[in-house]
C-alpha cells in the first residue's frame, strides 16, 4: 500500500524547515529534502543517510538496505535472496557462527524482536537497533552492517544447517491462502516475472541448490552501488559519517557488473476474473483491483496530488464504513483505497467480505455502487471539509512531536527514498506545505480521481471462497456483469451530519476532596467528592498526547446467567453512538479533533480507554461523561450486526480450519472444558439480548465511585483540575462497594496429552504447558521471567540452530494473583510431522539441563541486559505508564515495584534458576497438545 504522504514516515523528519519558495511552480519544483538528514555517497557508489535524533536517548537505529530481492534471482536461485538474508546471521568475518546474535543479546538486543531482516521482491533490508551509551557499541553495530554487506562467510556446513530452518519457514506459509494465491497470482500480475519470484522460493531448490549458486547471488548483488547505510539516533553525526566512510569506503564492486534490471508489470488492457476455492478456507472474500500507472513523489505537485489522494481515501473509507453501521449491512467488511501495488504500478482496490455465497452478489454490488456513486455525484463539500480537518490535525500533531519521534519511525522514509526516489521534506516542512496548499485542493480535483481510478480495463477480480458449496458461487461472467452494471440506479450521497450539543446539559461539577503524591514515580492522587479516584502523571515524553484509562471492578462476571450478552455489551452500546449522535454522526462531529474515548465491559472489569491532545482534552472528557450518562440503544442496527456476527461464525463452523481445530482443542484442555471458556458458536449469538445488554451497561456505569481514572501525558495538573472536577466529579455515584466474581478457571492438574488430526499440508504445531499454584510476588515473578527467557534462548539454539527443525519457537509465561496464585509456562512451535517427537524430546532435555544445573550464566546475563534495556526505553513512554499504573492499581501491586528492578535482577542467579526450574517445570502438571495432518 502506498504510504500516505502525511503519515508517520513523512512527517517525523526534522528540526529545520526546508525553504519553500513563495512563487512556486509546483509541477517543476522538486520536493526539498529534510536538511536535518545528511545524505552522502561514497566513491564506490554506496549511499548513506545520517540523522541525529535523541528519542529514545542512548539508542540508534541502523539499517543496511540492498536494492536486490527475489526479482533478480535466476531460475536456479529461486528463494536464495531470502536464504542469503538468513545466512548473514550464521557467520561473518568478525562474528563467526552464531557469535553475532550472542554478542547483540549481551548488549540487550533481542533476536527477532529487535534484530531482524526481511526480503521482498525488490529489496533486502537488515535492521539493527543498538545502544550508544557504552564505548564502542555503535562502532560494532556498523561493523555488523559492514560484515553483512560483503563479509558473510557462507560456510558449507552452515548452509546445510540453514536449509531446514528456511524450509520450515516455507512450511509455515503453506495452507489455504497459499494454495489459492498460487491459482490467481499470475492473473493479477499479468503473467509477469513477479508471479514467478515469490521471496520464499521453491522447496525443491532450497533442498538441493549448490552453495556456489548462493555465493554467486551474494557476489552479484551485494555491492556498494546497490546499497544504502542508514543511521538514525542519539550520536554525533560527524563521527558516524567517518565510521561509515572508514568501514564501507574500501568495498569494491565485482569485476563484472551485472545490470540491475528494473522489472515492471506491464498494463495489457485486459480484464480477468479468478474464482478460487479451498476446502480449508472458511470465508467469502471479493477483491476488485484496478491496476494503474505508478506515481512517485518527486515534485511539489506530486506532494499536493498525494494529499488529494489521501483525502479521497479518507472519504471513500468513511462512506464504506457507514454501510457496515446500517441496520442491514451488505457485507461483514468492506474497503476501497488507492495505493501502491507492485512492479511500478499503483492500484485502486475494493474488498468485500460477504456473509455467505447467497449474499456475494449483493456484497460485490454494494462496494462497487459506492465507487460509482463517487464517479457520478462526487463527494460533498462537507465531507471534504471534514477530511481536511482530520488531515491537518494529523499533520499538526506530527509537527508538534517532531522532537519526540522515535528513531525507528524515521528510517522508512529514507529506505523509500533510496529504493524508489520518493522524497521526504520533514515534519516542519510538510506542515508548512500542508498549511499553504491543503486549502487549495478543490472538490472538483478530488472528485476527478474516481474517474481516473475506476476504469473499464486493467481490472482483476479475485473471489476466494470455501470448496464446500462452490456450486452456489456466481460464475466469472456473472461477477463481471455485477461489476459492470452495479450502480446504474445509484443516487447521490446524503450527508446525515448533526449539529447538536453532545451533552443535553452541563454536568454539575464536584470538588477535589483529597490530593496527595503517591509513589516515587510522582503520581498525584485526587479523590473527588463523588468518590472517583484520579491518578495523574504529567510527562514530557510527547508534546501532544494524553492517555486516559478508567477501570472499575465487576464486569459481566456479576451477570453469570447472561455471559453471551455480557461479552457483547459494550460493542452493542458503543456501535449505536452516544447522546444525540449515532456512530457515523459522532465520527463526523469529532472531525479534526483528537478525541477518542470508548467504553468496554470485560469479564472482571468495566471502564474507558481514551486518547487525546491537550487542546481536545475537554471534548474527550465530555465524551467520557456522555458514555456514562447518555448511552444509546439501536435495536435495528444491533439486529444487523448480530446477524453478520452469526454468519461469520457459521462460516467458521462449516469449514473448520486446522488452526481453529488446534486452537479450540488447546483451549478446551487448558480450561478443563469449562463452558464459560468455550469458543463462540452461532447459537451463542441467539442468546445475546439488547435489553439485557443495556441493563448490564447501565448497572456497570451507573456508579463511578469505584472507578479509578489514570491520566498520563502532556498536561499541567492545576490547569486541568477544573475539567476533572466538572466531568469526572460530575459523574453519577451511589457509593457502592463493588468487586468481581472470579471464574477461577485454570489448567487442570495432572498430565494430559492430546493429538488432533486436521489439515491437508504436512505441517504440525506443538504446545507444551506447565502450570500450577503460585506464590505471587515480585521476587517470584522475576525468577519466572528469567526462566522463560533462558529457555527461549536455549530452544532457539537447540531446535532452530542445531536441529534445524523449526523456524521459530516461542516460550511465554503468565501469572495470576487472584483468586489464588497460579502460573503457566508455555512452549510453542511449528514443525514437520516427522520431527514432532524428536523436538519435544529435545525441548524436555533442555528443560532438564536447567533443572539439573541451572540456566547458562551467559543466558541470565542476556536476560538482565535485555530487561534493563527494554525498561529504559519503555519508561519513557506514556503507553507504559498508563498500563503500569492501571494494572498495578487494579490488582493491588506496589506502584514502587518498578524501582526495585536492580535489586530483583541481582537475585537472579544460576542457583535461583535451578530452583525455579525444579519448581515450575513440574512434569506432574504437564499438558501437551499436538496438531498433525489428517491421516490419508
Amino acid at each position: 500500500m502506498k504510504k500516505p504522504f502525511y503519515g508517520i514516515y513523512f512527517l517525523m523528519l526534522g528540526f529545520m524547515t526546508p525553504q519553500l519558495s513563495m512563487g512556486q511552480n509546483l509541477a517543476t519544483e522538486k520536493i526539498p529534502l529534510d536538511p536535518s538528514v545528511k545524505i552522502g555517497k561514497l566513491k564506490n557508489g554506496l549511499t548513506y543517510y545520517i540523522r541525529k535524533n535523541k528519542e529514545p536517548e542512548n539508542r540508534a537505529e541502523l539499517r543496511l538496505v540492498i536494492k536486490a530481492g527475489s526479482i533478480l534471482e535466476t531460475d536456479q536461485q529461486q528463494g536464495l535472496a531470502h536464504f542469503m538474508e538468513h545466512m548473514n546471521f550464521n557467520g561473518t568475518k568478525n562474528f563467526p557462527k552464531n557469535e553475532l546474535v550472542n554478542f547483540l543479546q549481551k548488549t540487550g538486543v533481542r533476536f527477532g524482536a529487535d534484530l531482524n531482516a526481511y526480503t521482498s521482491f525488490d529489496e533486502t533490508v537488515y535492521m539493527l537497533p543498538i545502544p550508544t551509551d557504552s564505548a564502542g557499541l555503535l562502532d560494532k553495530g556498523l561493523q555488523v552492517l559492514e560484515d553483512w554487506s560483503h563479509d558473510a562467510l557462507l560456510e558449507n556446513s552452515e548452509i546445510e544447517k540453514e536449509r531446514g530452518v528456511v524450509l520450515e519457514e516455507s512450511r509455515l506459509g503453506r495452507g489455504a491462502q497459499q494454495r489459492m494465491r498460487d491459482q490467481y497470482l499470475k492473473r493479477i500480475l499479468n503473467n509477469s516475472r513477479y508471479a514467478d519470484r515469490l521471496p520464499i522460493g521453491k522447496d525443491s531448490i532450497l533442498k538441493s541448490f549448490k552453495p556456489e549458486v548462493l555465493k554467486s547471488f551474494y557476489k552479484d548483488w551485494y555491492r556498494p552501488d546497490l546499497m544504502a547505510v542508514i543511521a538514525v539516533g542519539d550520536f554525533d553525526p560527524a563521527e558516524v559519517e567517518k565510521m561509515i566512510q572508514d568501514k564501507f569506503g574500501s568495498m569494491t564492486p565485482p569485476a563484472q557488473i551485472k545490470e540491475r534490471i528494473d522489472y515492471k508489470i506491464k498494463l495489457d488492457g485486459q480484464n480477468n476474473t479468478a474464482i478460487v476455492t479451498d476446502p480449508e478456507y472458511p470465508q467469502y472474500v471479493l477483491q476488485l483491483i484496478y491496476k494503474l500507472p505508478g506515481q512517485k513523489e518527486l515534485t511539489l505537485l506530486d506532494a499536493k496530488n498525494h494529499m488529494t489522494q489521501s483525502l479521497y481515501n479518507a472519504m471513500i473509507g468513511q462512506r464504506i464504513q457507514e454501510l457496515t453501521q446500517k441496520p442491514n449491512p451488505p457485507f461483514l467488511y468492506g474497503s476501497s483505497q488507492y495505493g501502491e501495488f507492485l512492479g511500478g504500478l499503483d492500484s485502486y482496490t475494493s474488498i468485500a467480505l460477504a456473509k455467505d455465497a447467497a449474499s456475494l452478489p449483493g456484497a460485490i454490488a454494494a462496494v462497487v455502487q459506492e465507487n460509482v456513486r463517487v464517479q457520478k455525484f462526487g463527494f460533498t463539500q462537507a465531507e471534504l471539509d471534514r477530511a481536511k480537518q482530520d488531515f491537518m490535525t494529523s499533520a499538526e500533531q506530527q509537527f508538534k512531536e517532531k522532537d519526540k519521534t522515535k528513531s525507528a519511525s524515521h528510517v522508512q522514509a529514507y529506505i523509500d527514498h533510496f529504493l524508489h526516489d520518493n522524497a521526504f521534506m520533514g515534519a516542519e516542512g510538510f506542515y508548512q506545505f500542508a498549511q499553504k496548499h491543503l486549502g487549495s485542493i478543490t472538490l472538483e480535483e478530488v472528485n476527478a480521481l474516481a474517474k481516473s481510478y475506476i476504469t473499464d480495463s486493467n481490472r482483476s477480480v479475485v473471489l476466494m471462497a470455501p470448496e464446500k458449496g462452490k456450486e452456489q458461487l456466481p460464475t466469472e461472467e456473472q461477477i463481471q456483469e455485477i461489476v459492470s452494471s452495479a450502480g446504474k440506479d445509484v443516487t447521490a450521497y446524503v450527508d446525515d451530519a448533526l449539529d447538536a450539543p453532545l451533552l443535553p446539559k452541563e454536568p454539575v461539577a464536584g470538588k477535589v476532596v483529597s490530593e496527595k503524591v503517591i509513589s516515587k514515580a510522582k503520581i498525584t492522587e485526587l479523590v473527588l467528592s463523588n468518590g472517583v479516584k484520579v491518578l495523574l502523571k504529567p510527562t514530557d515524553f510527547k508534546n501532544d498526547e494524553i492517555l486516559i484509562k478508567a477501570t472499575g471492578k465487576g464486569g459481566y462476571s456479576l451477570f453469570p446467567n447472561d455471559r453471551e450478552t455480557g461479552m457483547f455489551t459494550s460493542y452493542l452500546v458503543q456501535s449505536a453512538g452516544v447522546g444525540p449522535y449515532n456512530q457515523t454522526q459522532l465520527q463526523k462531529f469529532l472531525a479534526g479533533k483528537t478525541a477518542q474515548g470508548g467504553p468496554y465491559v470485560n469479564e472482571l472489569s468495566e471502564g474507558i480507554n481514551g486518547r487525546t491532545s491537550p487542546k481536545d482534552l475537554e471534548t474527550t472528557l465530555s465524551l467520557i461523561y456522555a458514555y456514562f450518562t447518555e448511552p444509546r440503544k439501536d435495536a435495528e442496527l444491533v439486529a444487523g450486526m448480530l446477524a453478520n456476527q452469526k454468519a461469520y461464525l457459521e462460516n467458521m463452523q462449516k469449514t473448520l480450519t486446522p488452526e481453529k481445530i488446534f486452537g479450540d482443542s488447546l483451549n478446551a484442555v487448558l480450561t478443563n472444558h469449562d463452558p464459560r471458556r468455550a469458543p463462540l458458536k452461532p447459537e451463542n449469538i441467539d442468546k445475546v439480548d439488547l435489553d439485557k445488554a443495556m441493563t448490564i451497561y447501565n448497572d456497570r456505569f451507573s456508579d463511578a465511585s469505584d472507578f479509578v481514572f489514570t491520566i498520563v501525558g502532556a498536561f499541567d495538573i492545576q490547569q486541568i483540575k477544573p475539567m476533572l472536577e466538572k466531568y469526572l466529579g460530575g459523574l453519577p455515584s451511589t457509593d457502592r462497594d463493588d468487586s468481581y466474581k472470579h471464574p477461577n478457571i485454570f489448567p487442570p492438574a495432572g498430565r494430559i496429552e492430546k493429538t488432533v488430526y486436521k489439515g491437508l499440508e504436512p505441517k504440525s504445531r506443538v504446545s507444551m504447558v506447565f502450570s500450577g499454584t503460585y506464590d505471587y510476588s515480585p521476587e517470584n515473578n522475576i525468577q519466572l521471567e528469567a526462566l522463560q527467557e533462558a529457555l527461549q534462548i536455549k530452544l532457539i539454539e537447540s531446535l532452530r540452530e542445531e536441529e534445524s527443525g523449526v523456524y521459530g519457537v516461542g516460550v511465554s509465561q503468565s501469572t495470576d494473583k487472584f483468586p489464588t496464585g497460579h502460573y503457566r509456562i508455555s512452549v510453542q512451535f511449528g514443525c514437520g510431522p516427522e520431527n514432532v517427537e524428536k523436538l519435544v524430546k529435545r525441548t524436555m532435555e533442555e528443560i532438564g539441563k536447567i533443572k539439573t544445573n541451572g540456566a547458562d550464566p551467559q543466558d541470565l546475563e542476556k536476560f538482565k541486559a535485555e530487561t534493563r534495556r527494554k525498561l529504559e526505553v519503555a519508561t519513557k513512554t506514556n503507553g507504559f505508564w498508563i498500563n503500569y499504573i492501571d494494572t498495578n492499581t487494579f490488582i493491588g501491586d506496589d506502584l514502587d515495584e518498578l524501582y526495585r528492578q536492580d535489586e530483583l535482577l541481582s537475585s537472579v542467579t544460576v542457583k535461583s534458576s535451578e530452583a525455579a526450574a525444579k519448581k515450575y517445570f513440574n512434569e506432574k502438571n504437564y499438558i501437551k497438545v499436538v496438531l498433525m495432518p489428517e491421516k490419508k
Side-chain angles (χ1 to χ4, degrees):
M1 185 177 71
K2 188 175 286 291
K3 300 173 183 69
F5 198 86
Y6 59 88
I8 192 169
Y9 299 135
F10 286 89
L11 278 178
M12 300 181 173
L13 304 167
F15 301 95
M16 301 172 64
T17 307
Q19 294 301 308
L20 302 177
S21 60
M22 297 303 294
Q24 292 169 311
N25 183 342
L26 299 184
T28 59
E29 189 162 349
K30 289 186 176 182
I31 296 172
L33 298 182
D34 182 356
S36 62
V37 182
K38 174 65 181 289
I39 304 176
K41 181 169 283 194
L42 303 180
K43 291 181 180 179
N44 58 17
L46 183 141
T47 305
Y48 59 85
Y49 300 76
I50 302 172
R51 179 201 173 99
K52 181 175 178 62
N53 188 64
K54 299 196 72 171
E55 187 64 36
E57 294 180 348
N58 302 319
R59 297 292 188 280
E61 291 286 340
L62 305 180
R63 300 290 186 272
L64 176 67
V65 186
I66 317 294
K67 202 178 290 186
S70 60
I71 201 69
L72 299 179
E73 296 166 344
T74 65
D75 289 344
Q76 293 74 35
Q77 291 174 332
Q78 291 181 68
L80 299 197
H82 172 244
F83 201 102
M84 183 60 236
E85 171 217 310
H86 274 243
M87 289 307 300
N88 256 330
F89 295 90
N90 283 4
T92 64
K93 176 181 176 182
N94 292 285
F95 302 93
K97 303 294 183 183
N98 291 318
E99 184 52 37
L100 170 61
V101 174
N102 186 47
F103 156 69
L104 291 170
Q105 285 177 329
K106 289 178 181 177
T107 70
V109 176
R110 296 166 296 168
F111 181 54
D114 299 321
L115 172 68
N116 216 324
Y118 74 85
T119 302
S120 188
F121 289 101
D122 296 298
E123 77 271 5
T124 305
V125 179
Y126 296 87
M127 299 165 275
L128 174 58
I130 195 82
T132 61
D133 55 351
S134 298
L137 277 185
L138 182 56
D139 183 77
K140 278 232 175 184
L142 287 167
Q143 183 63 66
V144 171
L145 265 62
E146 188 206 342
D147 274 23
W148 283 338
S149 70
H150 69 116
D151 275 331
L153 296 179
L154 299 180
E155 296 172 338
N156 289 0
S157 60
E158 292 296 323
I159 291 174
E160 292 307 312
K161 286 167 59 178
E162 198 64 19
R163 288 186 199 269
V165 176
V166 178
L167 285 165
E168 285 305 318
E169 184 176 359
S170 173
R171 188 195 304 271
L172 288 175
R174 294 168 69 171
Q177 293 268 16
Q178 163 261 320
R179 292 191 294 267
M180 290 190 295
R181 180 198 66 205
D182 290 349
Q183 294 180 61
Y184 68 71
L185 199 62
K186 283 185 179 292
R187 294 198 194 186
I188 68 170
L189 299 183
N190 298 356
N191 291 305
S192 68
R193 185 179 179 89
Y194 282 90
D196 294 319
R197 288 296 183 271
L198 291 176
I200 196 62
K202 294 183 176 180
D203 285 4
S204 59
I205 292 175
L206 296 174
K207 291 175 182 176
S208 62
F209 73 86
K210 291 181 169 54
E212 289 72 25
V213 181
L214 175 66
K215 294 172 184 178
S216 175
F217 183 90
Y218 186 51
K219 178 183 176 183
D220 287 339
W221 302 117
Y222 277 60
R223 63 187 203 223
D225 63 306
L226 298 179
M227 286 183 182
V229 172
I230 298 171
V232 182
D234 190 7
F235 50 60
D236 182 337
E239 289 183 7
V240 171
E241 183 174 28
K242 188 174 186 310
M243 290 179 195
I244 291 173
Q245 291 168 345
D246 290 345
K247 292 185 183 302
F248 294 90
S250 60
M251 281 183 65
T252 56
Q256 292 184 326
I257 299 289
K258 269 195 167 186
E259 180 188 2
R260 200 305 187 189
I261 299 174
D262 189 12
Y263 290 96
K264 301 292 185 185
I265 298 174
K266 293 181 180 180
L267 292 175
D268 57 13
Q270 300 298 307
N271 295 331
N272 54 66
T273 301
I275 299 176
V276 293
T277 62
D278 192 274
E280 293 181 348
Y281 192 73
Q283 302 299 339
Y284 298 83
V285 179
L286 184 285
Q287 297 181 70
L288 176 58
I289 305 166
Y290 299 90
K291 286 163 279 189
L292 306 162
Q295 299 181 23
K296 292 187 177 183
E297 292 90 43
L298 303 176
T299 69
L300 293 177
L301 181 60
D302 296 331
K304 182 181 176 183
N305 289 340
H306 205 165
M307 287 197 299
T308 309
Q309 294 158 4
S310 297
L311 294 172
Y312 181 100
N313 281 345
M315 289 186 285
I316 191 66
Q318 176 66 31
R319 283 195 180 183
I320 290 181
Q321 185 181 11
E322 286 182 25
L323 292 180
T324 66
Q325 295 166 343
K326 290 185 180 298
N328 185 26
F331 39 62
L332 302 179
Y333 167 82
S335 70
S336 284
Q337 186 173 43
Y338 175 86
E340 189 175 348
F341 186 61
L342 192 66
L345 299 183
D346 287 350
S347 69
Y348 183 72
T349 302
S350 296
I351 298 174
L353 173 61
K355 287 180 274 194
D356 49 36
S359 66
L360 258 171
I364 300 169
V367 75
V368 172
Q369 280 173 0
E370 289 311 306
N371 293 333
V372 174
R373 197 188 310 276
V374 178
Q375 264 191 324
K376 285 188 175 183
F377 301 102
F379 296 105
T380 67
Q381 188 62 49
E383 288 178 286
L384 179 59
D385 291 342
R386 289 192 296 266
K388 286 183 176 181
Q389 289 175 340
D390 284 337
F391 188 102
M392 204 64 215
T393 295
S394 175
E396 180 183 17
Q397 189 170 64
Q398 301 298 342
F399 163 66
K400 288 180 178 178
E401 302 291 8
K402 70 182 191 297
D403 63 331
K404 302 290 186 180
T405 300
K406 294 191 180 301
S407 295
S409 298
H410 288 296
V411 295
Q412 186 59 45
Y414 314 145
I415 293 172
D416 205 36
H417 180 259
F418 175 69
L419 293 174
H420 309 296
D421 295 324
N422 288 328
F424 53 90
M425 63 175 74
E428 191 167 352
F430 184 73
Y431 181 51
Q432 182 190 68
F433 180 81
Q435 283 181 311
K436 185 173 182 180
H437 295 288
L438 181 65
S440 69
I441 296 174
T442 66
L443 188 61
E444 290 72 23
E445 287 175 317
V446 179
N447 288 341
L449 291 177
K451 294 180 175 62
S452 65
Y453 290 166
I454 303 163
T455 64
D456 292 328
S457 61
N458 296 308
R459 183 180 68 206
S460 292
V461 181
V462 178
L463 173 60
M464 299 183 292
E467 179 83 13
K468 188 183 298 182
K470 66 179 181 179
E471 65 279 355
Q472 301 174 28
L473 299 175
T475 64
E476 291 187 15
E477 292 75 18
Q478 289 171 329
I479 291 174
Q480 289 291 354
E481 173 61 24
I482 294 170
V483 171
S484 299
S485 63
K488 285 184 177 179
D489 300 321
V490 73
T491 57
Y493 173 79
V494 178
D495 194 339
D496 66 345
L498 181 67
D499 184 15
L502 180 62
L503 302 177
K505 59 181 180 180
E506 292 294 299
V508 178
K511 290 292 183 183
V512 173
V513 297
S514 170
E515 179 174 348
K516 62 182 177 181
V517 176
I518 60 173
S519 166
K520 297 176 183 177
K522 299 179 181 178
I523 299 166
T524 296
E525 178 191 274
L526 304 181
V527 178
L528 304 177
S529 50
N530 59 350
V532 170
K533 185 182 290 184
V534 186
L535 302 179
L536 301 167
K537 183 171 175 59
T539 71
D540 59 2
F541 307 142
K542 289 283 187 181
N543 297 320
D544 202 42
E545 179 181 81
I546 298 174
L547 303 182
I548 302 172
K549 199 173 182 73
T551 304
K553 294 181 178 180
Y556 61 79
S557 69
L558 303 182
F559 300 85
N561 296 325
D562 298 307
R563 172 179 170 267
E564 291 85 359
T565 297
M567 294 172 68
F568 282 89
T569 289
S570 56
Y571 175 58
L572 301 184
V573 173
Q574 189 173 5
S575 296
V578 68
Y581 295 96
N582 64 32
Q583 186 63 23
T584 59
Q585 292 169 335
L586 181 63
Q587 290 169 328
K588 294 171 184 178
F589 168 72
L590 295 174
K593 300 180 178 69
T594 305
Q596 301 165 15
Y600 69 87
V601 179
N602 290 337
E603 185 172 34
L604 304 182
S605 65
E606 62 278 340
I608 299 281
N609 288 310
R611 178 182 176 274
T612 186
S613 63
K615 73 180 179 64
D616 294 322
L617 176 59
E618 184 161 13
T619 299
T620 305
L621 290 173
S622 68
L623 182 63
I624 291 172
Y625 181 89
Y627 275 121
F628 269 86
T629 61
E630 300 290 332
R632 283 172 60 98
K633 176 182 175 181
D634 190 329
E636 197 176 1
L637 173 71
V638 165
M641 289 170 49
L642 292 178
N644 274 1
Q645 183 68 37
K646 184 175 181 180
Y648 178 84
L649 293 172
E650 285 173 342
N651 292 340
M652 295 298 293
Q653 196 168 43
K654 288 175 185 175
T655 305
L656 294 171
T657 66
E659 292 77 17
K660 179 167 175 57
I661 290 289
F662 177 74
D664 289 353
S665 299
L666 178 62
N667 174 73
V669 173
L670 292 177
T671 61
N672 206 16
H673 300 272
D674 193 299
R676 291 170 295 175
R677 289 292 181 270
L680 280 174
K681 295 180 179 179
E683 53 265 31
N684 295 125
I685 303 302
D686 295 331
K687 297 180 181 179
V688 177
D689 184 288
L690 178 58
D691 289 330
K692 288 182 179 179
M694 295 303 298
T695 298
I696 293 171
Y697 185 90
N698 288 326
D699 177 83
R700 292 295 78 216
F701 287 89
S702 63
D703 178 18
S705 63
D706 69 333
F707 275 76
V708 178
F709 283 80
T710 304
I711 305 178
V712 177
F715 60 83
D716 177 272
I717 293 176
Q718 296 309 313
Q719 288 181 2
I720 72 168
K721 195 181 291 185
M723 284 187 275
L724 302 179
E725 290 179 322
K726 178 179 179 180
Y727 294 103
L728 304 187
L731 289 172
S733 171
T734 60
D735 199 28
R736 66 185 178 191
D737 185 17
D738 255 349
S739 191
Y740 48 75
K741 295 180 180 178
H742 200 287
N744 202 21
I745 301 172
F746 296 109
R751 287 181 65 95
I752 301 173
E753 297 189 20
K754 182 180 179 66
T755 300
V756 293
Y757 297 88
K758 185 67 176 176
L760 304 177
E761 298 290 343
K763 54 192 288 189
S764 290
R765 289 182 61 187
V766 178
S767 185
M768 306 163 65
V769 181
F770 300 85
S771 64
T773 56
Y774 182 66
D775 183 7
Y776 184 97
S777 70
E779 291 77 10
N780 287 337
N781 293 349
I782 197 72
Q783 297 296 336
L784 197 60
E785 292 166 15
L787 192 61
Q788 172 227 326
E789 183 61 21
L791 182 60
Q792 172 89 50
I793 292 170
K794 273 292 172 278
L795 291 183
I796 289 175
E797 291 175 2
S798 57
L799 303 191
R800 175 179 164 128
E801 304 303 333
E802 295 174 15
E803 299 286 351
S804 300
V806 301
Y807 171 63
V809 56
V811 182
S812 61
Q813 59 83 26
S814 62
T815 58
D816 289 279
K817 187 176 183 178
F818 300 111
T820 57
H822 204 95
Y823 79 92
R824 181 190 302 181
I825 304 179
S826 301
V827 177
Q828 291 195 329
F829 56 84
C831 65
E834 70 279 6
N835 289 328
V836 167
E837 289 309 314
K838 178 179 73 171
L839 297 177
V840 168
K841 181 181 178 183
R842 183 65 190 269
T843 299
M844 296 301 286
E845 288 173 357
E846 296 301 326
I847 290 172
K849 291 175 185 176
I850 301 176
K851 291 169 73 172
T852 302
N853 304 311
D856 186 323
Q858 289 193 33
D859 293 344
L860 295 180
E861 289 308 310
K862 292 173 185 176
F863 161 73
K864 294 177 183 181
E866 290 173 7
T867 302
R868 290 191 180 99
R869 294 293 189 187
K870 186 167 61 175
L871 204 56
E872 283 173 11
V873 174
T875 52
K876 300 290 180 65
T877 65
N878 293 328
F880 168 84
W881 282 105
I882 195 82
N883 290 317
Y884 177 81
I885 296 170
D886 177 76
T887 300
N888 281 34
T889 302
F890 185 78
I891 66 176
D893 277 5
D894 186 357
L895 286 173
D896 285 340
E897 181 184 321
L898 178 69
Y899 300 97
R900 296 183 57 200
Q901 182 205 63
D902 288 340
E903 170 201 341
L904 293 170
L905 286 176
S906 67
S907 71
V908 175
T909 64
V910 173
K911 200 69 180 172
S912 72
S913 68
E914 178 187 332
K918 288 176 177 175
K919 186 172 186 178
Y920 300 126
F921 288 125
N922 179 5
E923 294 182 35
K924 292 181 179 179
N925 289 335
Y926 168 66
I927 292 170
K928 182 183 76 173
V929 178
V930 177
L931 171 69
M932 297 290 278
E934 296 168 21
K935 295 179 178 179
K936 303 287 183 174

